[in-house]
Amino acid sequence: MSGLLKVEAPGLSTTLQDLGRVGFQSLGLPVSGALDPIALRIANALVGNSEGQGALEIRFLGPTLSVEADAVRVALAGTQAPIEVLEPSRQITPAGRSVTLHRGWKFRIGAVADSGVCYLAVGGGFDAPKVFESQSTYVRGGLGGFEGRALQIGDSLPLAFGDGPTGLERAALRTFDYGNDGPIRVVLGPQAEYFTEAGLQTFLKQEFTVSREADRMGVRLDGPTIEHAKGFNIPSDGIVTGSIQVPGSGLPIVLLADRQTTGGYPKIAAVASSDLPRLGRMRPGATLRFAAIDVPEAEALRRAQEAQLHDLISGIRLTHGLGENLEDLLLSENLISGGEWATE
Amino acid sequence: METSVEFLPSGDTGLTVQFGHSIDRALSHRVVRLRAEIDAAQLTGVLETVPTYRSLTIHYDPRQTTQSAIIEALQPLIAAPGATSAAPGAHWRLPVCFDGDFAPDLLHVADWTRRAPEAVIEAMTAEPLYVYMIGFAPGQPYMGDLPDALAIPRRENPVARVPAGSVLIATGKSVIYPIANPTGWYVVGRTPAPIFDPAWKQPALLSAGDTVSLSRVDADEFGEIETQVRAGGYTTERLDRP
């Protein structure tokens, strides 16, 4: 028998996401999926799931959930915020390690200050139907996830596992280094010729700020306007996650997971895929600059990042859980060095 | 046969093969044909292909392949395209109401074209429209070609939301919105007929290569069709297979 998690408070915007809906863009279906797929994969690895299993994507303020199952193993990744058990008694589990919760326990992820997004994975995953081969939620289309929408108070989230969690807990030795110092790398084009030389220089030399108009579809940036050379209409063509459109206003929009599949505004550049998680994690008010690189360099950066993630995941170690092992306790308090704890 | 193409990078996860800068059906057929060839070739690391008016975007995984490897694999396919021709598309009749609140931008478009609203409606309904591509949202068709006089450019800045079923125009083309979304186009009507449903065997009603006749209905008939749709008893009329 499996069970469910009950939503006592939904958080600001909590949706079920996996690695996206691949193969359906020609039907006009967005890929959706995690804004920070790296943190999703780490969270899943910490509970023993396959890396692409659906997990709860939490934005800014997390949900409060109660356990209606014998036992469930959970882990949080992508933030330094902890998992707080509220009932039957207070217990804190830092992010980056798993914990087993029992029937009747109530727990929450509170305010997440260090990232725009983080992931709560459950051992065995959630029992939500796949729509076009993915559990990812596309809210605008009302597709996927739990009823095609963000969590609401009173929702029941069915769990997919048969038996409860067995074996030891897991902990990551370090947090992932997103490379936050430095500009966001981009590849110019495919419509770079739609911008004047001055416009390109503005784009590559000036600082931009993440506006309040930032959601899963894209991030609108505030800052200096980028000068068009020949209008802002193109015959609609293909878009990738990370494409940077510049409409008539001259202010760039970086398109993210829920982006449309095609579009008619000129695209000055696309974010290198290695830097996409950084964009997904940015909060309104964050500042950024862009730097141009070429395609082979972008591809190499992505492969290097994948190697870093592979190292982190294969370094995840089994542990008896907090409090049962002095070394773990000291490690969690950052009082001894078991690895690098990278700061954001 | 003209075979020159441009290879344009979309970051390190997309390669756009661009056949030209104009929109015409011959270009559209070349895009559709290349897509069929690439899908058949099953290149390592290629995740999916998206055809648009005058280009094909190839989505790939840079951990599995590189853009330059894909370009190399494409050269023989582009140099000697196969003889496959597209199967004829379906011809649909879609009911559209062009009145009142269903057409908030009709007057603005009429003003811009310096014609009466009736003339705009006539231009939209006189001839069947050709479906060039599906994009932007699930099942959303890009149709053409409207007369040059109707080729109003896109808005400078998109508006945040227009309702599902909206029929919009810009740049001589028309789209139908399957779901509410932002837009840079102008809303001149609304259809009560659904054009996308994940429960359908073919979830998108329309495909590239189909034709669509927009058929004018008044608000009452719009309401009747809407009721039928909600009750599950509405089927969009297909004109090529009566």
Side-chain angles (χ1 to χ4, degrees):
Chain A
M1 80 173 226
S2 34
L4 54 92
L5 296 181
K6 192 86 176 175
V7 179
E8 308 286 346
L12 189 68
S13 179
T14 308
T15 55
L16 184 64
Q17 301 292 344
D18 57 23
L19 292 174
R21 200 159 269 126
V22 178
F24 299 95
Q25 288 186 72
S26 62
L27 291 183
L29 271 172
V31 177
S32 300
L35 289 177
D36 177 1
I38 289 174
L40 175 91
R41 292 165 69 185
I42 294 172
N44 275 319
L46 288 169
V47 295
N49 287 346
S50 60
E51 287 179 22
Q53 183 68 254
L56 293 180
E57 178 176 90
I58 290 165
R59 308 209 68 204
F60 305 110
L61 177 71
T64 303
L65 304 165
S66 54
V67 179
E68 293 184 17
D70 286 343
V72 63
R73 174 167 284 149
V74 300
L76 188 64
T79 178
Q80 304 279 16
I83 297 174
E84 301 172 68
V85 176
L86 303 171
E87 291 170 20
S89 57
R90 302 243 338 149
Q91 176 186 321
I92 302 280
T93 301
R97 58 190 308 135
S98 67
V99 61
T100 296
L101 311 174
H102 300 276
R103 187 174 289 281
W105 286 28
K106 190 156 103 171
F107 70 104
R108 78 167 170 214
I109 290 81
V112 177
D114 58 351
S115 173
V117 76
C118 62
Y119 297 85
L120 180 76
V122 160
F126 291 96
D127 187 17
K130 287 196 172 179
V131 178
F132 298 106
E133 299 176 19
S134 166
Q135 286 185 325
S136 290
T137 314
Y138 173 43
V139 173
R140 259 179 217 276
L143 284 181
F146 300 109
E147 313 209 1
R149 57 169 173 75
L151 298 191
Q152 290 173 5
I153 188 169
D155 279 348
S156 295
L157 312 181
L159 302 169
F161 59 83
D163 308 315
T166 56
L168 301 174
E169 304 297 342
R170 289 178 179 78
L173 289 179
R174 61 182 182 278
T175 57
F176 190 83
D177 179 7
Y178 288 91
N180 285 330
D181 302 321
I184 297 285
R185 279 78 58 100
V186 301
V187 174
L188 290 176
Q191 280 93 37
E193 79 276 11
Y194 272 74
F195 303 90
T196 62
E197 188 53 43
L200 288 166
Q201 289 306 306
T202 304
F203 176 65
L204 293 174
K205 296 255 186 308
Q206 300 300 326
E207 185 179 85
F208 294 89
T209 308
V210 175
S211 77
R212 285 173 181 280
E213 272 82 54
D215 61 17
R216 284 184 43 83
M217 191 170 168
V219 171
R220 283 174 190 263
L221 299 178
D222 287 331
T225 56
I226 295 165
E227 193 180 37
H228 291 94
K230 41 181 179 176
F232 48 87
N233 283 287
I234 61 166
S236 292
D237 71 353
I239 284 177
V240 300
T241 304
S243 285
I244 303 175
Q245 280 183 328
V246 184
S249 64
L251 292 173
I253 304 170
V254 184
L255 297 172
L256 297 178
D258 282 352
R259 60 168 175 83
Q260 62 270 38
T261 56
T262 61
Y265 292 116
K267 296 175 287 299
I268 192 168
V271 176
S273 63
S274 61
D275 289 3
L276 280 174
R278 288 178 60 191
L279 255 314
R281 296 168 62 77
M282 282 184 181
R283 305 163 64 91
T287 58
L288 62 149
R289 292 176 186 270
F290 296 106
I293 60 176
D294 63 21
V295 171
E297 199 180 338
E299 290 169 340
L301 283 171
R302 178 72 185 280
R303 287 194 288 270
Q305 184 184 65
E306 185 71 11
Q308 192 211 150
L309 179 59
H310 177 81
D311 281 349
L312 185 150
I313 287 178
S314 49
I316 285 174
R317 64 197 181 93
L318 299 172
T319 167
H320 290 284
L322 272 185
E324 296 178 29
N325 178 311
L326 180 62
E327 191 199 359
D328 283 349
L329 197 61
L330 292 172
L331 192 65
S332 73
E333 295 298 314
N334 216 5
L335 292 172
I336 61 171
S337 169
E340 279 182 284
W341 291 90
T343 52
E344 289 294 300
Chain B
M1 172 190 235
E2 222 251 281
T3 54
S4 69
V5 298
E6 287 177 89
F7 295 108
L8 304 173
S10 279
D12 60 317
T13 62
L15 171 65
T16 295
V17 183
Q18 187 167 281
F19 287 88
H21 294 268
S22 59
I23 297 174
D24 69 56
R25 297 192 196 177
L27 266 181
S28 172
H29 289 142
R30 290 183 67 200
V31 170
V32 171
R33 203 173 310 133
L34 179 63
R35 183 185 188 220
E37 306 254 3
I38 291 174
D39 289 351
Q42 301 205 309
L43 303 173
T44 304
V46 171
L47 301 172
E48 58 184 313
T49 52
V50 178
T52 58
Y53 285 116
R54 41 78 189 246
S55 62
L56 183 71
T57 294
I58 301 167
H59 294 267
Y60 71 98
D61 185 342
R63 297 167 299 178
Q64 294 184 53
T65 186
T66 64
Q67 214 164 108
S68 62
I70 295 173
I71 291 172
E72 202 181 315
L74 287 180
Q75 302 287 9
L77 299 181
I78 291 170
T84 44
S85 55
H91 183 189
W92 304 92
R93 173 187 284 163
L94 279 184
V96 178
C97 184
F98 294 94
D99 303 330
D101 290 342
F102 292 128
D105 301 324
L106 182 60
L107 284 181
H108 175 86
V109 170
D111 284 349
W112 185 88
T113 61
R114 292 194 239 257
R115 294 183 180 187
E118 281 303 315
V120 176
I121 297 170
E122 169 65 21
M124 302 223 28
T125 52
E127 301 286 334
L129 300 172
Y130 169 82
V131 180
Y132 278 94
M133 58 181 247
I134 305 295
F136 188 86
Q140 175 167 321
Y142 282 73
M143 309 180 293
D145 296 278
L146 297 173
D148 287 344
L150 231 56
I152 186 169
R154 278 189 200 81
R155 294 175 183 274
E156 272 203 14
N157 299 292
V159 301
R161 189 184 188 278
V162 299
S166 292
V167 178
L168 306 96
I169 68 171
T171 68
K173 301 289 174 289
S174 177
V175 296
I176 304 173
Y177 265 27
I179 56 174
N181 246 334
T183 188
W185 296 42
Y186 295 94
V187 181
V188 296
R190 196 182 305 176
T191 180
I195 58 172
F196 182 83
D197 190 333
W200 291 343
K201 190 156 180 251
Q202 307 264 33
L205 180 76
L206 304 170
S207 305
D210 284 358
T211 46
V212 176
S213 292
L214 300 182
S215 173
R216 186 176 191 179
V217 299
D218 62 24
D220 285 339
E221 203 180 336
F222 183 103
E224 282 164 24
I225 296 173
E226 223 180 8
T227 305
Q228 279 178 48
V229 169
R230 273 199 217 105
Y234 182 76
T235 309
T236 302
E237 193 182 342
R238 202 167 145 171
L239 296 173
D240 61 313
R241 260 195 227 159

